Amino acid sequence: IYTAWAFLQNDSTGCVGPGSEVRITILPAPEKPIVVDAIACFDGQIHLVEATTAPGTEIVWYVSSHGYEYADIPSGIQPGIYHAWAASKDTLTGCESIERVQASLTILQAPQAAVVQDLNVCYDGREHALMAEERPGIQILWFDSETSLLPMNGPPSAVQPGVMQAWALAIDSLTGCQSLSRTLASLRIFEALEPPLALNEIVCYT
């Protein structure tokens, strides 16, 4: 708090009137908020950044580092980059932090679902395995159910006749984002036919 006295003086007579006390109060600015940028894979759900500030203050969002155009907290559903600038505001005095902090939300694209084909073969004593279409930068994980969390050890395969089902999940090798759905594929190995029964025939020459 800074204090001074102000007086009015008559320029003609030099007389000075009674003084008035003048006080200037400079309130402290709150600390800037703490912002955590968010990176998420597209999953159809809304995502947003996290920001915290000291007790007695609130977060105010702006569209830029300067200026007074307000914004909403960065949030989104679709792939893309969303950003805004956060300032702390003292709820009692209305003072804002001197600095604003940029916050960014990045939603990464999910890969397309795995492309697989059912496999139908006849039993031949050899091992047969399901395969998924290869795409650059995409890894395929196989699961024994649509909701299982533990992947199988490689593509499902079998030797003996029967039916095997598995679900393929596509994963972006760079971002780790997963396809929104798993693709069901079936491996069917059919029983081999019995060899034909041949009957020897003996006849007399006629």
Side-chain angles (χ1 to χ4, degrees):
I1 298 176
Y2 302 86
T3 303
W5 287 84
F7 298 88
L8 291 177
Q9 183 178 31
N10 189 307
D11 293 337
S12 300
T13 65
C15 295
V16 177
S20 298
E21 184 181 16
V22 178
R23 293 183 179 182
I24 300 176
T25 303
I26 300 178
L27 302 173
E31 293 291 329
K32 62 184 179 181
I34 298 175
V35 173
V36 179
D37 292 336
I39 299 177
C41 297
F42 172 70
D43 57 5
Q45 304 295 319
I46 189 169
H47 298 274
L48 45 81
V49 299
E50 294 183 5
T52 58
T53 186
T57 62
E58 62 183 4
I59 302 290
V60 181
W61 294 97
Y62 293 94
V63 298
S64 66
S65 59
H66 298 84
Y68 299 97
E69 184 178 353
Y70 293 115
D72 295 324
I73 183 172
S75 63
I77 297 176
Q78 297 300 321
I81 300 177
Y82 307 81
H83 56 78
W85 278 259
S88 296
K89 180 179 180 180
D90 190 305
T91 56
L92 181 61
T93 65
C95 295
E96 292 190 8
S97 57
I98 298 174
E99 295 182 60
R100 297 177 184 175
V101 182
Q102 184 179 17
S104 297
L105 165 65
T106 303
I107 300 179
L108 303 173
Q109 181 70 54
Q112 296 295 319
V115 178
V116 298
Q117 289 185 344
D118 294 337
L119 179 61
N120 299 317
V121 297
C122 296
Y123 172 71
D124 57 7
R126 293 183 296 179
E127 185 177 39
H128 298 275
L130 289 172
M131 300 294 292
E133 179 183 288
E134 294 186 2
R135 288 179 286 168
I138 299 298
Q139 176 188 5
I140 300 296
L141 292 182
W142 291 91
F143 296 84
D144 59 8
S145 75
E146 193 172 9
T147 58
S148 175
L149 300 179
L150 185 63
M152 304 171 66
N153 293 324
S157 62
V159 176
Q160 297 301 319
V163 179
M164 172 179 286
Q165 291 185 324
W167 283 257
L169 176 69
I171 298 179
D172 189 306
S173 301
L174 181 62
T175 65
C177 292
Q178 302 179 358
S179 57
L180 298 183
S181 62
R182 299 178 182 182
T183 306
L184 174 64
S186 298
L187 168 61
R188 293 179 175 87
I189 300 179
F190 299 108
E191 292 277 1
L193 297 176
E194 294 292 334
L197 179 61
L199 298 176
N200 294 327
E201 185 177 359
I202 301 175
V203 299
C204 296
Y205 172 71
T206 60

